[in-house]
């Protein structure tokens, strides 16, 4: 596409793209990494418990997608119960790795320049969330009559078998992270591909070299990887917004909510002087209660609280 023969066509295409963007028709949405707060909620709300078939399967799905940098629904229906091998490294640490090299969107197995992708999912000894322990348990509960890695849950699970001899369908596999998002009541509905974005983002923020991140995610060039990792976190976005507002918006408090109808707050035209009138009962509780749930940044404030006798 970079040959001279395609130059005119490329210019026309770029021109059309610019026109579409100018007309507001560029609705491309890059997959966002799962926020840190939502990740913490996943582990605390029960959707990853290992004591029931559905939640154990949720956790194994998450662990496999995260640790092996899997893309969306790609290759999930083809996974078998024998797709992952458990091995031990030279330090005696146990880990799971793929038993074979998968062909995917960017790795077709025909390019001699491709590197063999050997991603490992290591154990976390003495950790209840250990992914190796979860996968051990999951594999021990699968139906021996079905080779699929993701099997339907039995209506009446048995102690030795929690899953049926029937694979989970493609549509259900494709929407798995969306269902987890709803069950966990996360801040947004994430997709399977968001987990891959999370892999790249988390490793980048941990200071991992981009080439090493690519060995996990399977990206073949840095440019495509950077589209995942250049987004600020939610916390960074909050900090940016707060800093911008503090530097541009004048303080102008117009109301303070209160459970009492006798509480009044008003501001002067200058937006700096605040007058507060409260009833005798409110004064007895504590005048400082007016600051509950307040968030004020910058400036010098003087409060003159005057107790006025009520008219009878």
């Amino acid at each position: 596409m970079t040959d001279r023969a395609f130059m005119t066509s490329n210019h026309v295409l770029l021109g059309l793209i610019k026109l579409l963007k100018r007309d507001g028709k560029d609705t491309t949405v890059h997959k966002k990494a799962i926020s840190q707060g939502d990740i913490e909620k996943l582990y605390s709300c029960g959707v990853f418990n290992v004591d029931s078939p559905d939640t154990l399967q949720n956790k194994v799905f998450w662990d496999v997608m995260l640790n092996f940098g899997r893309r969306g629904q790609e290759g999930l229906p083809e996974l078998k119960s024998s797709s992952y091998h458990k091995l031990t490294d030279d330090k005696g640490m146990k880990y799971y790795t793929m038993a074979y090299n998968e062909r995917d969107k960017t790795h077709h197995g025909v390019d001699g320049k491709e590197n063999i992708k050997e991603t490992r999912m290591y154990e976390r000894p003495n950790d209840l969330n250990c992914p190796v322990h979860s996968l051990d348990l999951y594999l021990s509960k699968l139906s021996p009559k079905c080779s699929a890695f993701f099997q339907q849950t039995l209506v009446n699970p048995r102690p030795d078998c929690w899953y049926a001899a029937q694979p989970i369908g493609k549509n259900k596999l494709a929407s798995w992270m969306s269902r987890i998002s709803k069950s966990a009541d996360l801040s947004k509905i994430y997709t399977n591909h968001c987990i891959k974005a999370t892999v790249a983002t988390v490793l980048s923020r941990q200071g991992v070299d981009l080439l090493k991140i690519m060995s996990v995610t399977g990206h073949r060039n840095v440019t495509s990887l950077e589209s995942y990792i250049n987004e600020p976190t939610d916390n960074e976005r909050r900090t940016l917004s707060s800093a911008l507002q503090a530097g541009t918006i004048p303080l102008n408090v117009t109301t303070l909510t209160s459970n009492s109808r006798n509480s009044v707050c008003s501001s002067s035209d200058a937006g700096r002087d605040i007058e507060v009138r409260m009833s005798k009962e409110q004064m007895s509780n504590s005048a400082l209660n007016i600051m509950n749930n307040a968030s004020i940044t910058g400036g010098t404030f003087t409060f003159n609280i005057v107790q006025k006798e009520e008219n009878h």
Side-chain angles (χ1 to χ4, degrees):
M1 295 296 289
T2 58
D3 294 344
R4 291 179 61 87
F6 294 99
M7 187 175 297
T8 302
S9 299
N10 288 338
H11 286 165
V12 172
L13 179 60
L14 289 174
L16 289 173
I17 292 174
K18 289 180 180 178
L19 285 173
L20 290 172
K21 288 184 176 180
R22 187 186 65 185
D23 294 339
K25 296 180 180 179
D26 181 10
T27 57
T28 302
V29 178
H30 294 287
K31 299 303 181 184
K32 304 293 184 182
I34 300 171
S35 70
Q36 184 60 39
D38 280 338
I39 292 176
E40 293 171 0
K41 194 170 186 179
L42 286 172
Y43 282 95
S44 64
C45 73
V47 295
F48 285 167
N49 289 348
V50 297
D51 54 4
S52 73
D54 288 325
T55 53
L56 172 61
Q57 202 168 51
N58 283 343
K59 185 174 186 302
V60 169
F61 167 81
W62 167 266
D63 288 338
V64 166
M65 294 290 288
L66 187 75
N67 286 276
F68 293 97
R70 302 195 65 89
R71 182 201 306 272
Q73 64 177 2
E74 190 174 56
L76 294 182
E78 290 74 40
L79 285 178
K80 308 297 181 185
S81 57
S82 58
S83 292
Y84 295 100
H85 279 179
K86 187 178 182 181
L87 303 172
T88 305
D89 70 6
D90 59 342
K91 299 295 184 181
M93 293 288 291
K94 295 180 175 58
Y95 66 91
Y96 273 100
T97 189
M98 286 292 296
Y100 54 90
N101 292 322
E102 286 186 293
R103 185 181 70 173
D104 56 32
K105 181 179 178 180
T106 54
H107 298 81
H108 308 292
V110 296
D111 188 347
K113 296 181 181 180
E114 291 181 1
N115 295 321
I116 296 176
K117 183 182 175 183
E118 189 198 349
T119 308
R120 299 180 180 184
M121 182 174 73
Y122 269 93
E123 66 178 339
R124 293 173 59 92
N126 304 316
D127 188 335
L128 293 175
N129 293 316
C130 172
V132 170
H133 169 71
S134 300
L135 186 49
D136 283 343
L137 178 61
Y138 179 71
L139 291 174
S140 72
K141 302 296 185 180
L142 290 177
S143 170
K145 298 179 180 179
C146 180
S147 63
F149 183 76
F150 290 113
Q151 301 175 1
Q152 299 279 0
T153 302
L154 282 173
V155 177
N156 298 305
R158 304 190 303 272
D160 63 330
C161 184
W162 288 0
Y163 305 97
Q166 182 178 357
I168 292 177
K170 291 183 178 181
N171 291 338
K172 188 174 181 180
L173 290 172
S175 61
W176 205 317
M177 191 60 214
S178 298
R179 295 197 310 276
I180 291 177
S181 300
K182 295 174 183 177
S183 297
D185 193 25
L186 301 185
S187 64
K188 58 174 63 71
I189 304 300
Y190 296 100
T191 67
N192 291 1
H193 204 100
C194 291
I195 304 178
K196 188 182 183 75
T198 303
V199 175
T201 302
V202 170
L203 291 179
S204 174
R205 288 171 183 157
Q206 293 291 330
V208 178
D209 180 78
L210 292 181
L211 292 178
K212 290 183 173 63
I213 296 176
M214 290 165 62
S215 71
V216 178
T217 62
H219 287 93
R220 298 188 66 179
N221 62 77
V222 174
T223 302
S224 59
L225 176 63
E226 287 177 340
S227 66
Y228 287 106
I229 63 180
N230 288 334
E231 289 285 331
T233 64
D234 282 357
N235 188 50
E236 290 169 338
R237 291 182 189 277
R238 285 190 290 268
T239 301
L240 289 170
S241 178
S242 178
L244 181 61
Q245 293 178 21
T248 58
I249 302 177
L251 179 65
N252 186 14
V253 180
T254 57
T255 183
L256 289 176
T257 59
S258 173
N259 292 329
S260 172
R261 288 175 295 179
N262 295 322
S263 177
V264 179
C265 176
S266 62
S267 63
S268 70
D269 292 338
R272 295 292 176 182
D273 302 322
I274 300 174
E275 176 191 355
V276 178
R277 300 196 305 273
M278 297 190 298
S279 68
K280 186 182 298 182
E281 290 78 7
Q282 289 173 300
M283 287 291 293
S284 64
N285 289 334
S286 173
L288 293 179
N289 284 338
I290 66 172
M291 300 302 294
N292 283 353
N293 300 319
S295 177
I296 303 175
T297 303
T300 302
F301 306 91
T302 301
F303 291 90
N304 296 315
I305 301 175
V306 180
Q307 180 175 343
K308 297 182 179 180
E309 293 296 333
E310 295 182 359
N311 295 326
H312 296 284

